[in-house]
Amino acid sequence: MRADEFLARVRDRGEYHSQEEAEQVTEAVLWVLASRIVPEEATDLAEQLPAPLDDALRLERGRPEPFDREEFLRRVAEQTGARPRTAEWDTGAVLSTVAETVSAGQVGHLLDQLPSDWADLFGRTKDHPVREGGTHDRR
């Protein structure tokens, strides 16, 4: 998949006004994710994502930081200038697109490293395997 196709999916799913907004949110979510997972896993994920989106995962960060979902969303909100609830929407738009783009094995490896309450961010729920859209407000 090309980067513009990936971002179009994120834009549609997140109901963003522009491709640029989808790109900003995508980079923020991937950047924060890379600080939460082991560097090898970030590299593996980056290899399955289109350039230049993979760059956010390739930054040297050292050891992963063991923060929870709430802190993850706070960091995404800080990166995007959004409220925490909006950051949850943004994160779901990006990570569910990631889950549709990369191999199922890669998604499994990611979910193995994260607390179980993160699965829905990847569009993985018991009853609905793919996240569905809704509305959001950035402010």
Side-chain angles (χ1 to χ4, degrees):
M1 172 181 298
R2 296 184 333 244
D4 62 330
E5 294 170 324
F6 185 96
L7 292 172
R9 286 186 186 186
V10 171
R11 187 185 70 212
D12 291 346
R13 183 164 283 142
E15 299 180 0
Y16 303 115
H17 298 291
S18 68
Q19 198 89 335
E20 292 77 25
E21 185 179 11
E23 184 172 11
Q24 176 197 13
V25 167
T26 298
E27 289 173 356
V29 170
L30 294 177
W31 190 88
V32 176
L33 179 64
S35 63
R36 177 62 175 80
I37 59 178
V38 297
E40 298 80 15
E41 199 63 47
T43 298
D44 291 347
L45 178 58
E47 289 173 358
Q48 293 189 38
L49 292 177
L53 301 176
D54 60 330
D55 289 344
L57 294 161
R58 296 188 188 276
L59 301 174
E60 288 298 319
R61 305 239 173 76
R63 298 180 65 161
E65 299 177 58
F67 49 81
D68 63 10
R69 178 185 172 123
E70 183 177 325
E71 177 63 12
F72 183 90
L73 297 175
R74 188 197 67 73
R75 291 181 186 203
V76 170
E78 185 177 281
Q79 291 289 318
T80 61
R83 296 181 311 198
R85 182 71 180 130
T86 302
E88 183 173 25
W89 175 267
D90 293 341
T91 298
V94 173
L95 293 182
S96 62
T97 303
V98 166
E100 291 176 358
T101 304
V102 304
S103 70
Q106 182 63 54
V107 174
H109 288 234
L110 288 169
L111 291 174
D112 286 347
Q113 289 188 50
L114 301 169
S116 61
D117 67 343
W118 292 42
D120 69 311
L121 297 172
F122 288 84
R124 303 293 193 242
T125 63
K126 184 176 183 180
D127 299 315
H128 303 285
V130 177
R131 182 177 202 84
E132 298 212 16
T135 60
H136 74 286
D137 179 13
R138 298 217 47 85
R139 296 186 189 200

